[in-house]
Amino acid sequence: MPNINSAKKRLRQSLVRRARNRATKSELKTRIRKVLELIKAGKMEECETAFRLTIKKLDKAAAAKVIHANRADRVKSRLSHRLKLAKHPAPAA
């Protein structure tokens, strides 16, 4: 445990930030899972709405440095690719 006042304050701040970051990450995971489930169910209109909201949340989390910017871009790209494939399935070769 810290003894110095400034160290005590840093501990309090880090605990608050950790809780906020964990909540944000959890929300992101839930939203991503929801989009994937909607794609699987074939509910395209609902999926597009959820996808747009998920993209917004990913961008905000990356801007706040809760997650790395490259990770946000990678997740957005993968979700976009899955959504595109679900809308227009590739012809069988």
Side-chain angles (χ1 to χ4, degrees), residues 17-35 37 53-54 57-58 61 66-67 71 75:
R17 288 186 179 126
R18 178 173 183 252
R20 190 181 308 131
N21 290 344
R22 285 170 62 106
T24 303
K25 286 182 182 184
S26 176
E27 183 187 7
L28 285 174
K29 289 174 191 174
T30 303
R31 289 189 181 281
I32 291 166
R33 189 172 59 247
K34 177 87 170 170
V35 170
E37 286 172 359
L53 192 58
T54 302
K57 294 289 183 179
L58 281 166
V66 175
I67 61 172
R71 180 171 190 266
V75 171

Side-chain angles (χ1 to χ4, degrees), residues 12-88:
R12 289 193 308 269
Q13 287 176 330
S14 68
L15 292 175
V16 168
R17 288 186 179 126
R18 178 173 183 252
R20 190 181 308 131
N21 290 344
R22 285 170 62 106
T24 303
K25 286 182 182 184
S26 176
E27 183 187 7
L28 285 174
K29 289 174 191 174
T30 303
R31 289 189 181 281
I32 291 166
R33 189 172 59 247
K34 177 87 170 170
V35 170
L36 293 174
E37 286 172 359
L38 287 170
I39 289 172
K40 200 170 188 179
K43 299 177 180 176
M44 286 303 132
E45 290 177 16
E46 293 176 40
C47 182
E48 287 178 18
T49 306
F51 174 73
R52 278 195 294 278
L53 192 58
T54 302
I55 295 301
K56 184 177 178 181
K57 294 289 183 179
L58 281 166
D59 287 338
K60 285 184 117 176
K65 301 212 164 89
V66 175
I67 61 172
H68 197 279
N70 289 354
R71 180 171 190 266
D73 291 341
R74 185 173 60 246
V75 171
K76 289 190 303 188
S77 177
R78 288 176 179 173
L79 283 177
S80 174
H81 182 70
R82 290 233 186 140
L83 186 62
K84 213 173 278 186
L85 282 178
K87 279 189 196 174
H88 310 287

